[in-house]
Amino acid sequence: MWIKAGGSVRHSLLRQIVLDLGGQPLLLSGHYGKVKTNKCLRVGVAMGRRTLERVVTKQTLNRVRSAYMPFSWSINPYRGCSHGCSYCYARATHTYLGMDADDTFQSHILVKENAAAALDRQLAEMVRKGGERALRGLGLVTVGTATDPYQPAEAKMKITRGCLEVLAKYGVPFTLTTRSPLILRDLDVLVRARVRAIHMSINTLDPVLWRRLEPESPSPLKRLEAVATLVGQGIRAGIFLAPILPGLTDSDEVMASVLRAAKKHDAQFAVASMLRLAPDVKQWYMRTIQAHYPELVPLYEELYRRTNPPAAFAAKTLARAHAWIRRMGIPFYREAAEKDGMRSSLAADQSDEPGGYGSEGIGEGGEKTTESVQLQLHF
């Protein structure tokens, strides 16, 4: 259903109106610029507390212009993520659309319904202008830098699957980051694509802590089982021990338990990264800490006066994480990259930030976006 929108075109969220049509709550909103260009308002049906809004994008492949990033392009089939991880750095990206970084990030999901078609057009145009050489010089693409490409909506929408099919068609190398075993649905595509690595994020096996911090993410054990299945199919997969949360997941006991389980499930590499709290994210995350772990509030107020914790604290914590990675016999990401001849694209640059990679860049639609990824390569 489309409704014509009058007025001037602006590169931002124009307006948001909640209506009740026949008892069915509907959300009307307009996005312009490169996110939506047809001067129409798309009607998205609100399912419970979640609204899936279909949007049209001009481009799916977005250039990452940062020396700190070990990849050249990013793909995010969705904006927002219903997993609802309280510490997710990508919450801040919703503010660039005129929304909030609070519960809106997990309850109002933008679905780029034409993402695969737009990606195909982009790559076809590159080939037309520069031939196959243009694709060879494209560099590494990372799927899922600002949203989980396998969040619940993907089960039905299959937007991510469509994008992976296009990447496979053109032979473009890519990595993918997720918290979901739903990725196993697309094994038929992955086994014929140029997958450099699948990163499965997991930072605890504690069922209570997991559910408090990640309201709707899949079970950590299911994620580990997915890693084992991917590796069994010849696909390089490992874990992001991330983010490491002070006072919650930074103990030797917790890190050792996660890494021991990762080793048991054949993880091909492990990456450790500290929690980063940008202002918009910090406000939401601290509400979770106050509600469930009020005794930790002073610790976080002391450590996170800025986005990253003090360098000395981060270095000490990461050193312990790295020691456990070595003790479990799991290769570091750098070692895995070098083994596959991937050093130039994955491990050439190192971050000066103690918590891992992170930078402000230009993302989809030209809006400012935080292209932060939880990679820690300077061991």
Side-chain angles (χ1 to χ4, degrees):
M1 179 178 178
W2 292 89
I3 297 178
K4 274 290 185 182
S8 61
V9 175
R10 299 180 59 188
H11 179 72
S12 64
L13 178 68
L14 181 64
R15 60 182 175 178
Q16 187 176 38
I17 311 170
V18 177
L19 300 181
D20 189 308
L21 303 178
Q24 176 68 54
L26 297 176
L27 180 67
L28 278 63
S29 55
H31 295 268
Y32 298 102
K34 291 185 179 179
V35 175
K36 183 170 285 299
T37 59
N38 45 32
K39 298 184 182 181
C40 291
L41 296 178
R42 185 65 176 182
V43 177
V45 179
M47 303 175 63
R49 292 175 58 247
R50 184 174 306 141
T51 297
L52 300 180
E53 180 187 355
R54 297 171 184 264
V55 298
V56 176
T57 183
K58 277 188 175 180
Q59 60 182 45
T60 300
L61 196 61
N62 295 284
R63 185 74 175 176
V64 178
R65 303 182 185 281
S66 172
Y68 291 132
M69 294 299 160
F71 51 88
S72 305
W73 302 84
S74 69
I75 291 177
N76 289 294
Y78 303 89
R79 299 300 296 269
C81 181
S82 57
H83 285 165
C85 302
S86 60
Y87 46 69
C88 183
Y89 61 82
R91 284 180 178 275
T93 64
H94 248 40
T95 63
Y96 310 143
L97 299 175
M99 303 182 194
D100 295 322
D102 57 11
D103 189 58
T104 307
F105 179 76
Q106 65 196 71
S107 62
H108 188 164
I109 312 300
L110 305 186
V111 181
K112 301 176 186 178
E113 60 180 353
N114 70 321
L119 177 59
D120 196 296
R121 286 196 301 273
Q122 279 184 273
L123 295 176
E125 181 65 11
M126 289 181 183
V127 172
R128 186 186 70 79
K129 291 182 176 180
E132 295 298 325
R133 181 182 301 178
L135 292 183
R136 289 196 297 271
L138 189 62
L140 188 69
V141 173
T142 292
V143 182
T145 60
T147 183
D148 194 315
Y150 282 103
Q151 61 180 287
E154 172 62 16
K156 179 179 180 181
M157 304 303 295
K158 298 183 179 180
I159 307 297
T160 297
R161 179 183 174 87
C163 291
L164 298 188
E165 289 176 332
V166 175
L167 293 176
K169 170 184 174 182
Y170 288 91
V172 175
F174 65 91
T175 66
L176 186 148
T177 302
T178 184
R179 275 181 161 77
S180 177
L182 179 59
I183 190 174
L184 299 181
R185 179 201 64 187
D186 297 336
L187 273 174
D188 61 316
V189 179
L190 295 171
V191 295
R192 55 185 170 83
R194 293 185 64 190
V195 182
R196 290 293 179 84
I198 301 298
H199 316 131
M200 191 67 70
S201 297
I202 175 173
N203 61 1
T204 182
L205 299 180
D206 183 333
V208 176
L209 179 59
W210 154 56
R211 191 46 78 202
R212 285 176 175 175
L213 297 173
E214 304 177 8
E216 296 187 47
S217 71
S219 159
L221 291 178
K222 291 296 184 182
R223 299 179 218 174
L224 289 169
E225 291 172 2
V227 168
T229 300
L230 289 165
V231 173
Q233 292 294 315
I235 298 169
R236 181 170 293 282
I239 72 161
F240 276 177
L241 182 64
I244 296 175
L245 309 174
L248 294 173
T249 67
D250 62 343
S251 70
D252 287 335
E253 180 182 4
V254 172
M255 291 191 287
S257 66
V258 173
L259 292 166
R260 187 176 294 112
K263 177 66 173 180
K264 180 180 178 180
H265 289 83
D266 301 322
Q268 301 292 289
F269 57 83
V271 181
S273 180
M274 292 297 299
L275 171 69
R276 302 176 73 255
L277 287 179
D280 291 321
V281 181
K282 180 179 180 180
Q283 184 177 15
W284 183 254
Y285 177 71
M286 289 306 293
R287 288 175 57 180
T288 302
I289 295 299
Q290 182 65 61
H292 299 293
Y293 307 100
E295 71 280 4
L296 293 180
V297 171
L299 173 65
Y300 278 93
E301 289 179 343
E302 176 65 24
L303 290 177
Y304 287 93
R305 296 179 180 181
R306 297 183 178 182
T307 298
N308 290 306
F313 176 85
K316 184 177 180 179
T317 303
L318 289 171
R320 289 192 292 108
H322 300 160
W324 280 111
I325 292 173
R326 292 188 183 94
R327 191 173 303 178
M328 296 299 169
I330 303 174
F332 288 115
Y333 200 82
R334 180 194 295 275
E335 295 166 355
E338 291 175 337
K339 183 177 179 180
D340 280 357
M342 296 157 57
R343 176 169 170 75
S344 61
S345 61
L346 287 178
D349 295 311
Q350 298 181 14
S351 172
D352 292 328
E353 296 190 44
Y357 282 87
S359 74
E360 299 297 326
I362 299 299
E364 302 146 37
E367 77 273 13
K368 184 181 180 185
T369 182
T370 303
E371 290 285 5
S372 293
V373 291
Q374 297 163 343
L375 294 179
Q376 182 59 259
L377 302 182
H378 47 292
F379 298 125

